[in-house]
Amino acid sequence: MNTSPSDLVTAFCAEWKAGDAASIAGYFSEDAVYHNIPMEPLCGRAAIADFLQGFISAFGESSSPSTTRRRTGPSCSTNAPTGSP
């Protein structure tokens, strides 16, 4: 099953409503690098999940990214995975 980029971003952002860090981190590859500036980059899905759990615990899902429909499609305010380190 092929998922369009628009549907993928929308689903990723919707995961924040549930507040499940492991589910959100599942969108990243095992060797992903997540760089939430100004913090240091996080390497690997497990490190990303740990960070997200702390973020969600501290700020709740009210600070989740939003999907905003524009003429070009959805927008998500989180940093995208950047690939392998």
Side-chain angles (χ1 to χ4, degrees):
M1 178 178 163
N2 290 331
T3 302
S4 74
S6 175
D7 290 344
L8 180 66
V9 171
T10 299
F12 173 78
C13 292
E15 291 289 340
W16 284 84
K17 291 183 181 180
D20 181 1
S23 180
I24 297 165
Y27 282 80
F28 294 85
S29 66
E30 286 292 339
D31 62 350
V33 176
Y34 180 80
H35 195 182
N36 189 354
I37 298 171
M39 299 170 65
E40 292 297 317
L42 302 166
C43 298
R45 185 183 296 154
I48 294 168
D50 288 345
F51 167 78
L52 292 173
Q53 183 59 52
F55 183 85
I56 292 167
S57 294
F59 299 105
E61 60 270 358
S62 64
S63 60
S64 66
S66 62
T67 55
T68 304
R69 291 275 175 191
R70 298 180 185 168
R71 292 184 311 166
T72 58
S75 173
C76 187
S77 62
T78 61
N79 294 322
T82 58
S84 60

